[in-house]
Each structure stands twice: as structure tokens, then as C-alpha cells.
Amino acid sequence: MRIAACTLALLLSAAAVPAVARDGRDFCADRPGKGTPPCVLDQGRLQMELGLFDVSRQTQGDTRTQTWDAGDLLVRYGLDGLTEVQLGLPVWNRQQVTDRATGARDTAQGVGDLTLGLRRSLANPDGSGLSVALAGFVAAPTGARGIRADGFEGGVLLPVSVPLNPDWSLSLTPRVEWVSDADGDGRHAAYSMVAGLGRDIGQWNLGAEIWISRDDDPDQATTQSTLDLTAVWSPPSLPDAQLDFGLNLGLNDDSPDVAFGIGLARRF
């Protein structure tokens, strides 16, 4: 939690300083949707993105699962104008599984797994026009017991975005992952696709995404799907920052019923 508190203090103190004009690309954050933008940071630019609070709930039969996250931190750094490196760390997670028939509860909490990622632009690294990138990540099982994965995991994704007109944009993020089996013995593939539409309205960007994910766990394969609504506010006097909100609604029984989150991002 100290890492999250220090990061939040840094972002808020930086936000209090009047914006200084700098040449470079338009501000572009990974938050708040499940999709990934293809934009890449300018060389030498640093960007910090922080999930202030996220909560979700899922009910399946007699089981109810609730999760709370605080301080979900992503640090991005531009290497050469076409490539950026990323470091992700969920600072505090809590998961509570309740047996609705008996009232028994099983709770796990603590820091999440450390993730290292790389994104390489294939077209238009500033996100303009038809923008495409190739990205990959590796997650190390560094989290607390009951939260961490059962070994190293990883994945590859191909973010794409294209403007439909001056106000609307379309984004796609196909993704393939190699994840741990539910029983902790082995690995299997998981696949997902995010398709989203976004619209700029003044200092706001409003978006809607459909997320579909297939997990081929040998014990029981599942397919999840959600409708995700996002809202991003960019302060007029601070073009290198944003405050964002996300609301996710489950579309089938395998998906969380509802999830909500608030976060912010700042480029330096």
C-alpha cells in the first residue's frame, strides 16, 4: 500500500503544477477498458497509471465471489519512439468467496503478481489513422498466497485502432495467453477479443466495449463476456493527465455480474 500511496501523492502533486507545453504525441493511456491501445510513448517519456479502487461481484449457484483492488499500478517508459517497456504491479488485492448456503467464507489478500511487458508499434505509434502494435508480457508469481498464479504466465496481443470520423473511433484487441491450470498442475491456452467504440465530447471521451474470453482449462473450460462502459475526463489545463471511470456488466453466468473502477494517469 505504501507504493500506491507514494504514487498517488506523486500524481496529485504533479497535477497541481501548471501544464508546460511540450512537443510530442497526444496523451494516450491504457486505462480504463479491457482493450489495449496501440499508441506508444515518445522516447524518454514516462507515464504512470493507477487504479485507485476496483470492485467486482460474481454469483454462481451457492457461491458468491467478491474482489477488491487498490493501487493497481502500471508504469510505462518510451524507449525509441516505436517501443515502450511496461511494469505492472497490483499493490493490494482482496478476494472473498462465500458459500451462500452455509455462510462460510474463504478470504485471500495481499500484493498481486509482477508483470513485465513490451509494446512495439507496427504503424502510427502516435495512435493516429490506422494504428497497429504488437505487444507481449510475462507475469511472475510474486503475489501473496491465494492470489498469485501457480507459476509464470504470459501472452501476446495485437492492438488495432482506426478513426471512423473526427469524433468516433474503433478499437480491436485480440489476445492469446498461456495460463496456469485451475489445479495448479500444468498450463493451457486462453483467448480473448475486445471490440470497442469511443467518442470525444469536449473534455470527455466516452466508450463502450464488448469483451469475450475463452479459457480452455482442462478441468472445466469457460467462456466469459462483458459489456464495459468507460468515461475519461482530461483536465483542460493538464493535457498529460486523465481521470477515468469504468463499469462492467456480465453477459453470461461465467462472468462477474458487475464491476466498477476509478483511476487516473499522468505522463511526465
mmCIF file with all atom_site columns, all heavy atoms in Angstrom, residues 6-27:
data_model
loop_
_atom_site.group_PDB
_atom_site.id
_atom_site.type_symbol
_atom_site.label_atom_id
_atom_site.label_alt_id
_atom_site.label_comp_id
_atom_site.label_asym_id
_atom_site.label_entity_id
_atom_site.label_seq_id
_atom_site.pdbx_PDB_ins_code
_atom_site.Cartn_x
_atom_site.Cartn_y
_atom_site.Cartn_z
_atom_site.occupancy
_atom_site.B_iso_or_equiv
_atom_site.pdbx_formal_charge
_atom_site.auth_seq_id
_atom_site.auth_comp_id
_atom_site.auth_asym_id
_atom_site.auth_atom_id
_atom_site.pdbx_PDB_model_num
ATOM 1   N N   . CYS A 1 6  ? 2.485  6.473  -2.332  1.00 0.00 ? 6  CYS A N   1
ATOM 2   C CA  . CYS A 1 6  ? 3.539  7.345  -2.876  1.00 0.00 ? 6  CYS A CA  1
ATOM 3   C C   . CYS A 1 6  ? 3.257  7.714  -4.322  1.00 0.00 ? 6  CYS A C   1
ATOM 4   O O   . CYS A 1 6  ? 3.466  8.856  -4.745  1.00 0.00 ? 6  CYS A O   1
ATOM 5   C CB  . CYS A 1 6  ? 4.899  6.648  -2.763  1.00 0.00 ? 6  CYS A CB  1
ATOM 6   S SG  . CYS A 1 6  ? 5.491  6.439  -1.069  1.00 0.00 ? 6  CYS A SG  1
ATOM 7   N N   . THR A 1 7  ? 2.766  6.738  -5.094  1.00 0.00 ? 7  THR A N   1
ATOM 8   C CA  . THR A 1 7  ? 2.439  7.002  -6.489  1.00 0.00 ? 7  THR A CA  1
ATOM 9   C C   . THR A 1 7  ? 1.307  8.009  -6.604  1.00 0.00 ? 7  THR A C   1
ATOM 10  O O   . THR A 1 7  ? 1.361  8.944  -7.407  1.00 0.00 ? 7  THR A O   1
ATOM 11  C CB  . THR A 1 7  ? 2.037  5.705  -7.194  1.00 0.00 ? 7  THR A CB  1
ATOM 12  O OG1 . THR A 1 7  ? 3.107  4.770  -7.090  1.00 0.00 ? 7  THR A OG1 1
ATOM 13  C CG2 . THR A 1 7  ? 1.753  5.965  -8.666  1.00 0.00 ? 7  THR A CG2 1
ATOM 14  N N   . LEU A 1 8  ? 0.266  7.838  -5.788  1.00 0.00 ? 8  LEU A N   1
ATOM 15  C CA  . LEU A 1 8  ? -0.855 8.765  -5.812  1.00 0.00 ? 8  LEU A CA  1
ATOM 16  C C   . LEU A 1 8  ? -0.404 10.166 -5.420  1.00 0.00 ? 8  LEU A C   1
ATOM 17  O O   . LEU A 1 8  ? -0.809 11.160 -6.041  1.00 0.00 ? 8  LEU A O   1
ATOM 18  C CB  . LEU A 1 8  ? -1.954 8.278  -4.865  1.00 0.00 ? 8  LEU A CB  1
ATOM 19  C CG  . LEU A 1 8  ? -3.194 9.162  -4.750  1.00 0.00 ? 8  LEU A CG  1
ATOM 20  C CD1 . LEU A 1 8  ? -3.837 9.352  -6.108  1.00 0.00 ? 8  LEU A CD1 1
ATOM 21  C CD2 . LEU A 1 8  ? -4.181 8.578  -3.762  1.00 0.00 ? 8  LEU A CD2 1
ATOM 22  N N   . ALA A 1 9  ? 0.452  10.274 -4.395  1.00 0.00 ? 9  ALA A N   1
ATOM 23  C CA  . ALA A 1 9  ? 0.951  11.584 -3.985  1.00 0.00 ? 9  ALA A CA  1
ATOM 24  C C   . ALA A 1 9  ? 1.742  12.241 -5.110  1.00 0.00 ? 9  ALA A C   1
ATOM 25  O O   . ALA A 1 9  ? 1.629  13.450 -5.347  1.00 0.00 ? 9  ALA A O   1
ATOM 26  C CB  . ALA A 1 9  ? 1.829  11.441 -2.736  1.00 0.00 ? 9  ALA A CB  1
ATOM 27  N N   . LEU A 1 10 ? 2.541  11.445 -5.828  1.00 0.00 ? 10 LEU A N   1
ATOM 28  C CA  . LEU A 1 10 ? 3.324  11.979 -6.938  1.00 0.00 ? 10 LEU A CA  1
ATOM 29  C C   . LEU A 1 10 ? 2.420  12.477 -8.053  1.00 0.00 ? 10 LEU A C   1
ATOM 30  O O   . LEU A 1 10 ? 2.615  13.569 -8.605  1.00 0.00 ? 10 LEU A O   1
ATOM 31  C CB  . LEU A 1 10 ? 4.264  10.907 -7.471  1.00 0.00 ? 10 LEU A CB  1
ATOM 32  C CG  . LEU A 1 10 ? 5.105  11.264 -8.706  1.00 0.00 ? 10 LEU A CG  1
ATOM 33  C CD1 . LEU A 1 10 ? 6.011  12.449 -8.401  1.00 0.00 ? 10 LEU A CD1 1
ATOM 34  C CD2 . LEU A 1 10 ? 5.934  10.075 -9.147  1.00 0.00 ? 10 LEU A CD2 1
ATOM 35  N N   . LEU A 1 11 ? 1.403  11.698 -8.387  1.00 0.00 ? 11 LEU A N   1
ATOM 36  C CA  . LEU A 1 11 ? 0.488  12.089 -9.460  1.00 0.00 ? 11 LEU A CA  1
ATOM 37  C C   . LEU A 1 11 ? -0.295 13.340 -9.086  1.00 0.00 ? 11 LEU A C   1
ATOM 38  O O   . LEU A 1 11 ? -0.466 14.243 -9.906  1.00 0.00 ? 11 LEU A O   1
ATOM 39  C CB  . LEU A 1 11 ? -0.478 10.938 -9.750  1.00 0.00 ? 11 LEU A CB  1
ATOM 40  C CG  . LEU A 1 11 ? 0.141  9.682  -10.369 1.00 0.00 ? 11 LEU A CG  1
ATOM 41  C CD1 . LEU A 1 11 ? -0.879 8.561  -10.399 1.00 0.00 ? 11 LEU A CD1 1
ATOM 42  C CD2 . LEU A 1 11 ? 0.653  9.959  -11.765 1.00 0.00 ? 11 LEU A CD2 1
ATOM 43  N N   . LEU A 1 12 ? -0.770 13.410 -7.846  1.00 0.00 ? 12 LEU A N   1
ATOM 44  C CA  . LEU A 1 12 ? -1.560 14.572 -7.428  1.00 0.00 ? 12 LEU A CA  1
ATOM 45  C C   . LEU A 1 12 ? -0.698 15.820 -7.323  1.00 0.00 ? 12 LEU A C   1
ATOM 46  O O   . LEU A 1 12 ? -1.120 16.923 -7.691  1.00 0.00 ? 12 LEU A O   1
ATOM 47  C CB  . LEU A 1 12 ? -2.234 14.282 -6.089  1.00 0.00 ? 12 LEU A CB  1
ATOM 48  C CG  . LEU A 1 12 ? -3.333 13.207 -6.123  1.00 0.00 ? 12 LEU A CG  1
ATOM 49  C CD1 . LEU A 1 12 ? -3.884 12.976 -4.733  1.00 0.00 ? 12 LEU A CD1 1
ATOM 50  C CD2 . LEU A 1 12 ? -4.438 13.603 -7.089  1.00 0.00 ? 12 LEU A CD2 1
ATOM 51  N N   . SER A 1 13 ? 0.530  15.676 -6.836  1.00 0.00 ? 13 SER A N   1
ATOM 52  C CA  . SER A 1 13 ? 1.404  16.842 -6.745  1.00 0.00 ? 13 SER A CA  1
ATOM 53  C C   . SER A 1 13 ? 1.788  17.347 -8.122  1.00 0.00 ? 13 SER A C   1
ATOM 54  O O   . SER A 1 13 ? 1.878  18.544 -8.366  1.00 0.00 ? 13 SER A O   1
ATOM 55  C CB  . SER A 1 13 ? 2.667  16.492 -5.944  1.00 0.00 ? 13 SER A CB  1
ATOM 56  O OG  . SER A 1 13 ? 3.415  15.475 -6.601  1.00 0.00 ? 13 SER A OG  1
ATOM 57  N N   . ALA A 1 14 ? 1.987  16.403 -9.057  1.00 0.00 ? 14 ALA A N   1
ATOM 58  C CA  . ALA A 1 14 ? 2.306  16.809 -10.422 1.00 0.00 ? 14 ALA A CA  1
ATOM 59  C C   . ALA A 1 14 ? 1.116  17.493 -11.075 1.00 0.00 ? 14 ALA A C   1
ATOM 60  O O   . ALA A 1 14 ? 1.262  18.434 -11.859 1.00 0.00 ? 14 ALA A O   1
ATOM 61  C CB  . ALA A 1 14 ? 2.730  15.602 -11.247 1.00 0.00 ? 14 ALA A CB  1
ATOM 62  N N   . ALA A 1 15 ? -0.099 17.017 -10.738 1.00 0.00 ? 15 ALA A N   1
ATOM 63  C CA  . ALA A 1 15 ? -1.297 17.604 -11.319 1.00 0.00 ? 15 ALA A CA  1
ATOM 64  C C   . ALA A 1 15 ? -1.511 19.033 -10.850 1.00 0.00 ? 15 ALA A C   1
ATOM 65  O O   . ALA A 1 15 ? -2.177 19.826 -11.526 1.00 0.00 ? 15 ALA A O   1
ATOM 66  C CB  . ALA A 1 15 ? -2.516 16.756 -10.966 1.00 0.00 ? 15 ALA A CB  1
ATOM 67  N N   . ALA A 1 16 ? -0.954 19.378 -9.680  1.00 0.00 ? 16 ALA A N   1
ATOM 68  C CA  . ALA A 1 16 ? -1.120 20.718 -9.157  1.00 0.00 ? 16 ALA A CA  1
ATOM 69  C C   . ALA A 1 16 ? -0.217 21.731 -9.844  1.00 0.00 ? 16 ALA A C   1
ATOM 70  O O   . ALA A 1 16 ? -0.399 22.939 -9.710  1.00 0.00 ? 16 ALA A O   1
ATOM 71  C CB  . ALA A 1 16 ? -0.840 20.724 -7.655  1.00 0.00 ? 16 ALA A CB  1
ATOM 72  N N   . VAL A 1 17 ? 0.767  21.251 -10.595 1.00 0.00 ? 17 VAL A N   1
ATOM 73  C CA  . VAL A 1 17 ? 1.684  22.140 -11.300 1.00 0.00 ? 17 VAL A CA  1
ATOM 74  C C   . VAL A 1 17 ? 1.104  22.501 -12.656 1.00 0.00 ? 17 VAL A C   1
ATOM 75  O O   . VAL A 1 17 ? 0.633  21.628 -13.379 1.00 0.00 ? 17 VAL A O   1
ATOM 76  C CB  . VAL A 1 17 ? 3.055  21.449 -11.495 1.00 0.00 ? 17 VAL A CB  1
ATOM 77  C CG1 . VAL A 1 17 ? 4.008  22.355 -12.252 1.00 0.00 ? 17 VAL A CG1 1
ATOM 78  C CG2 . VAL A 1 17 ? 3.635  21.065 -10.146 1.00 0.00 ? 17 VAL A CG2 1
ATOM 79  N N   . PRO A 1 18 ? 1.089  23.774 -13.031 1.00 0.00 ? 18 PRO A N   1
ATOM 80  C CA  . PRO A 1 18 ? 0.540  24.155 -14.330 1.00 0.00 ? 18 PRO A CA  1
ATOM 81  C C   . PRO A 1 18 ? 1.218  23.395 -15.455 1.00 0.00 ? 18 PRO A C   1
ATOM 82  O O   . PRO A 1 18 ? 2.418  23.130 -15.428 1.00 0.00 ? 18 PRO A O   1
ATOM 83  C CB  . PRO A 1 18 ? 0.840  25.664 -14.411 1.00 0.00 ? 18 PRO A CB  1
ATOM 84  C CG  . PRO A 1 18 ? 0.966  26.096 -12.979 1.00 0.00 ? 18 PRO A CG  1
ATOM 85  C CD  . PRO A 1 18 ? 1.562  24.937 -12.254 1.00 0.00 ? 18 PRO A CD  1
ATOM 86  N N   . ALA A 1 19 ? 0.438  23.006 -16.458 1.00 0.00 ? 19 ALA A N   1
ATOM 87  C CA  . ALA A 1 19 ? 0.974  22.241 -17.580 1.00 0.00 ? 19 ALA A CA  1
ATOM 88  C C   . ALA A 1 19 ? 1.952  23.077 -18.390 1.00 0.00 ? 19 ALA A C   1
ATOM 89  O O   . ALA A 1 19 ? 1.739  24.259 -18.635 1.00 0.00 ? 19 ALA A O   1
ATOM 90  C CB  . ALA A 1 19 ? -0.173 21.778 -18.471 1.00 0.00 ? 19 ALA A CB  1
ATOM 91  N N   . VAL A 1 20 ? 3.033  22.470 -18.794 1.00 0.00 ? 20 VAL A N   1
ATOM 92  C CA  . VAL A 1 20 ? 4.027  23.123 -19.632 1.00 0.00 ? 20 VAL A CA  1
ATOM 93  C C   . VAL A 1 20 ? 3.958  22.504 -21.010 1.00 0.00 ? 20 VAL A C   1
ATOM 94  O O   . VAL A 1 20 ? 3.983  21.279 -21.154 1.00 0.00 ? 20 VAL A O   1
ATOM 95  C CB  . VAL A 1 20 ? 5.453  22.932 -19.045 1.00 0.00 ? 20 VAL A CB  1
ATOM 96  C CG1 . VAL A 1 20 ? 6.476  23.568 -19.961 1.00 0.00 ? 20 VAL A CG1 1
ATOM 97  C CG2 . VAL A 1 20 ? 5.535  23.519 -17.649 1.00 0.00 ? 20 VAL A CG2 1
ATOM 98  N N   . ALA A 1 21 ? 3.824  23.329 -22.020 1.00 0.00 ? 21 ALA A N   1
ATOM 99  C CA  . ALA A 1 21 ? 3.689  22.811 -23.383 1.00 0.00 ? 21 ALA A CA  1
ATOM 100 C C   . ALA A 1 21 ? 4.940  22.047 -23.789 1.00 0.00 ? 21 ALA A C   1
ATOM 101 O O   . ALA A 1 21 ? 6.052  22.511 -23.622 1.00 0.00 ? 21 ALA A O   1
ATOM 102 C CB  . ALA A 1 21 ? 3.437  23.965 -24.345 1.00 0.00 ? 21 ALA A CB  1
ATOM 103 N N   . ARG A 1 22 ? 4.741  20.843 -24.337 1.00 0.00 ? 22 ARG A N   1
ATOM 104 C CA  . ARG A 1 22 ? 5.845  20.028 -24.812 1.00 0.00 ? 22 ARG A CA  1
ATOM 105 C C   . ARG A 1 22 ? 5.435  19.418 -26.137 1.00 0.00 ? 22 ARG A C   1
ATOM 106 O O   . ARG A 1 22 ? 4.309  18.995 -26.326 1.00 0.00 ? 22 ARG A O   1
ATOM 107 C CB  . ARG A 1 22 ? 6.154  18.903 -23.809 1.00 0.00 ? 22 ARG A CB  1
ATOM 108 C CG  . ARG A 1 22 ? 6.709  19.373 -22.486 1.00 0.00 ? 22 ARG A CG  1
ATOM 109 C CD  . ARG A 1 22 ? 7.088  18.190 -21.608 1.00 0.00 ? 22 ARG A CD  1
ATOM 110 N NE  . ARG A 1 22 ? 8.114  17.355 -22.230 1.00 0.00 ? 22 ARG A NE  1
ATOM 111 C CZ  . ARG A 1 22 ? 8.703  16.340 -21.612 1.00 0.00 ? 22 ARG A CZ  1
ATOM 112 N NH1 . ARG A 1 22 ? 8.365  16.029 -20.377 1.00 0.00 ? 22 ARG A NH1 1
ATOM 113 N NH2 . ARG A 1 22 ? 9.613  15.618 -22.227 1.00 0.00 ? 22 ARG A NH2 1
ATOM 114 N N   . ASP A 1 23 ? 6.398  19.417 -27.059 1.00 0.00 ? 23 ASP A N   1
ATOM 115 C CA  . ASP A 1 23 ? 6.126  18.763 -28.329 1.00 0.00 ? 23 ASP A CA  1
ATOM 116 C C   . ASP A 1 23 ? 6.024  17.266 -28.092 1.00 0.00 ? 23 ASP A C   1
ATOM 117 O O   . ASP A 1 23 ? 6.686  16.702 -27.228 1.00 0.00 ? 23 ASP A O   1
ATOM 118 C CB  . ASP A 1 23 ? 7.257  19.062 -29.322 1.00 0.00 ? 23 ASP A CB  1
ATOM 119 C CG  . ASP A 1 23 ? 7.297  20.519 -29.722 1.00 0.00 ? 23 ASP A CG  1
ATOM 120 O OD1 . ASP A 1 23 ? 6.232  21.178 -29.673 1.00 0.00 ? 23 ASP A OD1 1
ATOM 121 O OD2 . ASP A 1 23 ? 8.378  20.992 -30.071 1.00 0.00 ? 23 ASP A OD2 1
ATOM 122 N N   . GLY A 1 24 ? 5.226  16.607 -28.863 1.00 0.00 ? 24 GLY A N   1
ATOM 123 C CA  . GLY A 1 24 ? 5.103  15.163 -28.723 1.00 0.00 ? 24 GLY A CA  1
ATOM 124 C C   . GLY A 1 24 ? 3.718  14.693 -29.091 1.00 0.00 ? 24 GLY A C   1
ATOM 125 O O   . GLY A 1 24 ? 2.877  15.440 -29.595 1.00 0.00 ? 24 GLY A O   1
ATOM 126 N N   . ARG A 1 25 ? 3.459  13.441 -28.802 1.00 0.00 ? 25 ARG A N   1
ATOM 127 C CA  . ARG A 1 25 ? 2.206  12.813 -29.180 1.00 0.00 ? 25 ARG A CA  1
ATOM 128 C C   . ARG A 1 25 ? 1.087  13.155 -28.207 1.00 0.00 ? 25 ARG A C   1
ATOM 129 O O   . ARG A 1 25 ? 1.333  13.546 -27.074 1.00 0.00 ? 25 ARG A O   1
ATOM 130 C CB  . ARG A 1 25 ? 2.423  11.296 -29.234 1.00 0.00 ? 25 ARG A CB  1
ATOM 131 C CG  . ARG A 1 25 ? 3.463  10.904 -30.269 1.00 0.00 ? 25 ARG A CG  1
ATOM 132 C CD  . ARG A 1 25 ? 3.962  9.484  -30.102 1.00 0.00 ? 25 ARG A CD  1
ATOM 133 N NE  . ARG A 1 25 ? 5.028  9.221  -31.055 1.00 0.00 ? 25 ARG A NE  1
ATOM 134 C CZ  . ARG A 1 25 ? 5.850  8.181  -31.016 1.00 0.00 ? 25 ARG A CZ  1
ATOM 135 N NH1 . ARG A 1 25 ? 5.724  7.281  -30.036 1.00 0.00 ? 25 ARG A NH1 1
ATOM 136 N NH2 . ARG A 1 25 ? 6.785  8.021  -31.926 1.00 0.00 ? 25 ARG A NH2 1
ATOM 137 N N   . ASP A 1 26 ? -0.143 12.962 -28.690 1.00 0.00 ? 26 ASP A N   1
ATOM 138 C CA  . ASP A 1 26 ? -1.296 13.156 -27.819 1.00 0.00 ? 26 ASP A CA  1
ATOM 139 C C   . ASP A 1 26 ? -1.244 12.159 -26.671 1.00 0.00 ? 26 ASP A C   1
ATOM 140 O O   . ASP A 1 26 ? -0.738 11.047 -26.800 1.00 0.00 ? 26 ASP A O   1
ATOM 141 C CB  . ASP A 1 26 ? -2.595 12.968 -28.602 1.00 0.00 ? 26 ASP A CB  1
ATOM 142 C CG  . ASP A 1 26 ? -2.851 14.085 -29.598 1.00 0.00 ? 26 ASP A CG  1
ATOM 143 O OD1 . ASP A 1 26 ? -2.242 15.168 -29.444 1.00 0.00 ? 26 ASP A OD1 1
ATOM 144 O OD2 . ASP A 1 26 ? -3.653 13.869 -30.525 1.00 0.00 ? 26 ASP A OD2 1
ATOM 145 N N   . PHE A 1 27 ? -1.789 12.580 -25.544 1.00 0.00 ? 27 PHE A N   1
ATOM 146 C CA  . PHE A 1 27 ? -1.833 11.716 -24.374 1.00 0.00 ? 27 PHE A CA  1
ATOM 147 C C   . PHE A 1 27 ? -2.689 10.480 -24.664 1.00 0.00 ? 27 PHE A C   1
ATOM 148 O O   . PHE A 1 27 ? -3.773 10.575 -25.245 1.00 0.00 ? 27 PHE A O   1
ATOM 149 C CB  . PHE A 1 27 ? -2.416 12.482 -23.191 1.00 0.00 ? 27 PHE A CB  1
ATOM 150 C CG  . PHE A 1 27 ? -2.442 11.697 -21.913 1.00 0.00 ? 27 PHE A CG  1
ATOM 151 C CD1 . PHE A 1 27 ? -1.285 11.475 -21.198 1.00 0.00 ? 27 PHE A CD1 1
ATOM 152 C CD2 . PHE A 1 27 ? -3.632 11.180 -21.433 1.00 0.00 ? 27 PHE A CD2 1
ATOM 153 C CE1 . PHE A 1 27 ? -1.305 10.744 -20.020 1.00 0.00 ? 27 PHE A CE1 1
ATOM 154 C CE2 . PHE A 1 27 ? -3.674 10.457 -20.254 1.00 0.00 ? 27 PHE A CE2 1
ATOM 155 C CZ  . PHE A 1 27 ? -2.503 10.243 -19.548 1.00 0.00 ? 27 PHE A CZ  1
#
